[in-house]
Amino acid sequence: MKIRIFQINKDRDIDHIKFQSTKWLFSHAGYETISPSIYDKVFEGEVPAKDLGEVFAIFNRDDRPNVKAMHSLSMSDVVAVDESDTVAPGYYYCDTIGFTKVDFGEPHPKKEDAQCSC
């Protein structure tokens, strides 16, 4: 599966939405979309996963790819599925339970070392 992972940059997170659910964003905070302007790309590459649950497991291990440039995959992170045999291409918000498909544009350039040969 070819993916990209985006995480919120705390310096641009003026509304403190990092680690919040889509329910909180859309119901309580009044957001209508997920803003890519506060995100950085922290990973891009192929991973040995068949679904987003496996992506979550890979990026929550101590030996996860790109461990120095990103925290473990958490609520408010966005996974872009670029190529997969089992998951439709698109952007997926890591939510309270599972992932929610969202509209998302291209955020800021990736951090250094965001590539991985997993």
Side-chain angles (χ1 to χ4, degrees):
M1 176 182 288
K2 185 175 178 183
I3 65 167
R4 291 170 287 148
I5 296 177
F6 303 96
Q7 294 182 331
I8 292 174
N9 180 306
K10 65 180 173 83
D11 295 330
R12 292 191 305 272
D13 185 19
I14 60 171
D15 291 332
H16 307 288
I17 67 168
K18 189 169 187 153
F19 306 125
Q20 297 295 335
S21 69
T22 55
K23 180 179 180 181
W24 182 86
L25 286 173
F26 299 141
S27 299
H28 298 97
Y31 278 76
E32 294 180 8
T33 61
I34 307 295
S35 173
S37 66
I38 63 172
Y39 283 81
D40 291 328
K41 182 169 40 173
V42 295
F43 175 82
E44 180 174 13
E46 294 275 343
V47 293
K50 292 182 230 147
D51 58 36
L52 292 168
E54 288 183 7
V55 170
F56 185 84
I58 290 168
F59 285 92
N60 275 281
R61 300 184 319 223
D62 289 338
D63 65 340
R64 69 184 168 273
N66 210 26
V67 69
K68 292 183 180 180
M70 64 180 290
H71 59 73
S72 61
L73 194 61
S74 303
M75 194 163 38
S76 77
D77 295 343
V78 174
V79 177
V81 175
D82 295 319
E83 294 177 15
S84 173
D85 294 335
T86 56
V87 180
Y91 295 96
Y92 296 86
Y93 188 94
C94 188
D95 221 335
T96 308
I97 298 174
F99 291 83
T100 301
K101 194 165 187 180
V102 294
D103 290 326
F104 195 76
E106 283 302 312
H108 287 263
K110 66 183 176 187
K111 288 185 178 180
E112 291 298 315
D113 301 321
Q115 297 250 355
C116 173
S117 56
C118 305

